[in-house]
Amino acid sequence: MPEVRNADWTPAERAALLRALSTPYPLTAPVFVHGDVYRHNLLADAAGRYAGVLDWGNAGWATLEHECAVLDDLEPALVRWGGRLDTGLLWRLRLELLLKVCGAGRISPNAVRKVLQHCT
């Protein structure tokens, strides 16, 4: 299990992290994805509505869950693709990402804890 400095994981949290990260998930059908769909690559109109995606340099074949795991706000993706998404895989991928970001000191362990609740 990845260690995150200054996280002070409880034994129950450590067990939940280990369980979530070691659960095998079958991959869903690959789709062509942007690969880097962070906020700075989203284009919006003057009203704030989605208008397009910039910077397709990381595009390729992956699962829709991989694409959605990095979104700042998951709600629109869950509304749009909820029936197609394996939410277990989505939350696991998001957990792995946030553990890395937390390990780099860019977010607090509490952000990881919130996602971990979706994985248990």
Side-chain angles (χ1 to χ4, degrees), residues 18-96:
L18 185 60
R19 191 171 46 256
L21 297 175
S22 63
T23 301
Y25 281 99
L27 292 180
T28 59
V31 295
F32 194 76
V33 299
H34 179 271
D36 189 26
V37 74
Y38 296 99
R39 185 179 330 160
H40 65 276
N41 284 336
L42 295 176
L43 186 62
D45 65 12
R49 294 179 303 237
Y50 168 79
V53 183
L54 305 171
D55 184 14
W56 286 82
N58 292 323
W61 293 96
T63 65
L64 192 53
E65 291 83 0
H66 279 88
E67 184 81 336
C68 294
V70 301
L71 295 172
D72 293 324
D73 181 10
L74 278 177
E75 190 59 34
L78 292 171
V79 168
R80 183 173 183 168
W81 296 302
R84 291 183 54 197
L85 292 170
D86 177 339
T87 54
L89 177 58
L90 173 64
W91 286 110
R92 176 183 172 172
L93 292 168
R94 193 164 181 90
L95 178 66
E96 290 173 353

